[in-house]
């Protein structure tokens, strides 16, 4: 199921609780597609990075070669926040009069630990990757952070473009207001401290333009991302879970959350299923798994599902990952 789905998409997101196997399954899928000749970029957006552990090597925020046709990168949340704030600060400095630069810095410092800041920064990076990497790669595979976080992330483009639209609207109003003042012939005498100005028309106009270009670029980037996420032909979200009670209930909830934000779930991977015929205890445990999976099937009958068996060893290193790819094909 998974590989057939992957073949037809250009963007895949893997989500689910910590420890269920998102990193393993997304890396195996990426490797399988790379082996079929597609150029694949594997991206980890989980602050608890484990792509590096899986491939047993250092992976940073810039793409590194992991196998033929396969590159990978890990978004560093802290660095991402810093870059994001630097960009926002740059925009704000343009937006405000020069003497308010100190205020901008203070605002940025306060924002650093604001709730949602990491998500916003990571979303910005995802938007960037989708915008730029689409030219160099045939498939982008995102190994995302645990459930709740992911859904919030996915809902963000909407919030971010709403924020940008608000700013643009306010600027439009401010512009109309200042045009009226100009017509009254006293544009120089009115204090325009927040939005700068008062230093001649030309610098003011060019600042206006810069701001507008900046806001529009941001808006375009987020609406492109939103379009990509909402296009089921291009993008699929895969939920990875274990055959246990809470993960099943959380999967049903995550599916609902994603649907509300217009993101279609393409399939479910039930990982670490107990193998059959291993004595009474495990057989009983396996029967228990079946009970939970019956709940899942009843709640989400339309979603394709693939089960992967628990293997004896952790999946570490390229060889182990290649064996895992075989399991995906079974
Ligand atoms: N089918 C499987 N059988 C046995 N171990 C597995 C299986 N899938 C994943 N693992 C192991 O489970 C641990 C968590 O997997 P990982 O992919 O890092 O989960 P996540 O990214 O969802 O936190 C890792 O040690 C991995 O090797
Ligand atoms: Mg992981």
């Amino acid at each position: 199921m998974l590989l057939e789905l992957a073949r037809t998409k250009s963007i895949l997101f893997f989500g689910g609780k910590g420890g269920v196997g998102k990193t393993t399954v997304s890396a195996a899928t990426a490797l399988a597609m790379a082996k079929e000749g597609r150029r694949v970029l594997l991206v980890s957006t989980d602050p608890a990075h484990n792509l590096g552990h899986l491939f047993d090597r250092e992976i940073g925020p810039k793409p590194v070669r992991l196998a033929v046709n396969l590159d990978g990168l890990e978004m560093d949340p802290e660095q991402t926040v810093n870059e994001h704030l630097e960009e926002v600060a740059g925009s704000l400095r343009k937006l405000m009069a020069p003497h308010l630069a100190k205020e901008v810095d203070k605002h940025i410092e306060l924002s650093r630990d604001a709730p949602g800041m990491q998500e916003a920064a990571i979303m910005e990076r995802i938007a960037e990757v989708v915008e730029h990497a689409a030219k160099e790669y045939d498939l982008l595979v995102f190994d995302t952070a645990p459930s709740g976080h992911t859904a919030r992330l996915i809902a963000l483009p909407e919030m971010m473009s709403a924020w940008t639209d608000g700013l643009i609207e306010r600027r439009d109003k401010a512009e109309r207001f200042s045009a009226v003042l100009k017509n009254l012939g006293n544009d120089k005498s009115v204090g325009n401290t927040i939005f700068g100005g008062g230093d001649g028309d030309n610098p003011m106009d060019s600042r206006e333009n810069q701001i507008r270009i900046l806001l529009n670029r941001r808006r375009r980037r987020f609406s492109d991302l939103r379009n990509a996420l909402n296009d089921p032909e291009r993008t699929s979200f895969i939920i990875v879970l274990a055959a246990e009670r809470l993960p099943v209930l959380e999967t049903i909830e995550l599916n609902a959350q994603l649907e509300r934000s217009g993101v279609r779930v393409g399939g479910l991977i039930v990982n670490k299923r107990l193998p059959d015929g291993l004595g009474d205890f495990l057989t009983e445990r396996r029967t228990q798994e079946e009970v939970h999976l019956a709940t899942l099937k009843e709640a989400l009958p339309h979603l394709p599902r693939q089960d992967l068996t628990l293997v004896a060893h952790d999946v570490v290193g390229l060889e182990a990952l290649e064996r895992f790819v075989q399991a995906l094909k079974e």
Side-chain angles (χ1 to χ4, degrees), residues 13-17 20 22 144-145 147 150 237-241 254:
F13 281 89
F14 287 86
K17 275 189 83 70
V20 291
K22 291 178 300 297
T144 73
S147 327
T150 310
F237 196 103
I238 316 281
I239 305 179
V240 185
L241 72 149
L254 177 58

Side-chain angles (χ1 to χ4, degrees), residues 126-188:
I126 292 179
E128 243 174 68
V129 169
V130 168
E131 185 184 340
H132 293 117
K135 290 174 209 103
E136 280 170 61
Y137 299 97
D138 306 311
L139 174 66
L140 307 176
V141 177
F142 289 97
D143 169 22
T144 73
S147 327
H149 186 94
T150 310
R152 258 185 306 158
L153 252 155
I154 297 286
L156 264 170
E158 219 93 275
M159 282 151 56
M160 305 269 261
S161 50
W163 176 80
T164 320
D165 286 351
L167 269 184
I168 289 177
E169 202 175 290
R170 242 173 296 154
R171 297 213 51 81
D172 280 343
K173 278 196 191 128
E175 241 167 43
R176 282 200 297 276
F177 182 60
S178 95
V180 169
L181 290 181
K182 266 181 203 161
N183 288 341
L184 291 175
N186 64 350
D187 52 324
K188 293 279 193 291

